[in-house]
Amino acid sequence: MKMFDLTGRVAIVTGGNGGIGLGMARGLAQAGASVVVAGRNAEKSAQAAGELEALGAKAAAIAVDVRDEGACRRLIEETIRRFGRIDILVNNAGINIRKQPQEYSLDEWREMIDTNLTSAFVLSNAVYPHMKAQGGGKIIDIGSMMSIFGASFTGPYGATKGGIVQMARAMAVAWAKDNIQVNCVLPGWIDTELTRTGRQNIEGLHERVLGRTPAGRWGDPADFAGIAVFLASPASDFLTGTAIPVDGGYSVQG
Ligand code: NDP
């Protein structure tokens, strides 16, 4: 369907070398986009780019630590140099350190804010002039159930995920006139490296998630291909500033 066709579009997916990011990258690639996989682990990123090429897409791996402003700005410039444009930015890279609020150090707080939130600000800020000059673009930010709820072990993480929703809303309002849509995806509990340790270490978490998720299962990275294509494509041109749960019903369970 033409409204979901991404042929000729260029996407950057931070953290696109694994988990939810790779699930989204696969969807974008299958819809025809060229995809830049941006992560720290060069080997994982090269492997992911190879996988996207095998799906028939153009792909590249560019090494970046999203905590580094200069590296984020170079990622945007390097993508323009190699692909000529950027239509889609997926701010997906993220980490979590699980502790009780009183146990965090300021360095841990800053690491999470820098990785999960400041990176999305810097990359969106750097991509804006290019998207504006091109006549539009799509920014997809990744929130969480912790954008909505509180958990005792996710203080700084929740702050980043609540913050990213509000940042996306402000950018959506500011940049609507430039035909740039900014939306958030709020994943439920998804089986990735990020949650595997939590699942092992937090007693009862696995069962609590299953019990509360109407779909009756943990999510899979493949569950994010469709929402990525939708939010990156002309099908969502009148949709901006939203925060869409992709959670098997977790957030509406009464
Ligand atoms: P993974 O741990 O599987 O993937 C995280 C990705 O982020 C990796 O590709 C990693 O690449 C990248 N990354 C982390 N730090 C940096 C950094 N400093 N610079 C560049 N890249 C970095 O996690 P998920 O796929 O689960 O998480 C993806 C997003 O989804 C995150 O924002 C997370 O908060 C969010 N989310 C996940 C949920 C879940 O249940 N899994 C639920 C709600 C939200 P590399 O190691 O190469 O740097």
Side-chain angles (χ1 to χ4, degrees), residues 108-224:
E108 288 169 330
W109 165 271
R110 286 193 173 125
E111 193 184 344
M112 273 185 284
I113 300 282
D114 289 351
T115 307
N116 297 4
L117 183 58
T118 309
S119 64
F121 162 72
V122 171
L123 285 164
S124 304
N125 176 278
V127 85
Y128 170 71
H130 299 288
M131 287 185 171
K132 183 181 175 182
Q134 278 165 208
K138 304 277 190 179
I139 298 177
I140 304 170
D141 291 326
I142 308 304
S144 160
M145 287 299 101
M146 297 311 144
S147 304
I148 310 172
F149 302 117
S152 66
F153 49 85
T154 60
Y157 182 83
T160 68
K161 296 302 186 180
I164 205 165
V165 170
Q166 290 305 104
M167 189 182 74
R169 287 179 178 147
M171 288 177 177
V173 172
W175 298 344
K177 65 179 184 338
D178 304 309
N179 190 31
I180 298 169
Q181 288 81 48
V182 187
N183 289 289
C184 277
V185 173
L186 312 183
W189 290 89
I190 316 305
D191 183 17
T192 68
E193 274 177 36
L194 188 83
T195 48
R196 237 156 258 160
T197 48
R199 222 165 160 179
Q200 283 155 10
N201 302 339
I202 301 169
E203 211 188 317
L205 177 65
H206 175 70
E207 291 72 23
R208 275 207 307 281
V209 168
L210 281 186
R212 187 180 161 148
T213 305
R217 65 173 175 89
W218 281 62
D220 185 88
D223 291 318
F224 291 83

Side-chain angles (χ1 to χ4, degrees), residues 74-140:
R74 283 193 296 279
L75 168 66
I76 300 295
E77 296 312 320
E78 178 69 7
T79 303
I80 295 285
R81 196 182 65 71
R82 285 164 75 166
F83 290 93
R85 55 189 295 120
I86 303 172
D87 303 280
I88 303 149
L89 169 65
V90 184
N91 288 311
N92 164 79
I95 56 163
N96 194 3
I97 303 170
R98 296 180 191 85
K99 290 184 177 180
Q100 295 298 301
Q102 68 276 15
E103 292 167 347
Y104 288 101
S105 69
L106 187 56
D107 280 349
E108 288 169 330
W109 165 271
R110 286 193 173 125
E111 193 184 344
M112 273 185 284
I113 300 282
D114 289 351
T115 307
N116 297 4
L117 183 58
T118 309
S119 64
F121 162 72
V122 171
L123 285 164
S124 304
N125 176 278
V127 85
Y128 170 71
H130 299 288
M131 287 185 171
K132 183 181 175 182
Q134 278 165 208
K138 304 277 190 179
I139 298 177
I140 304 170

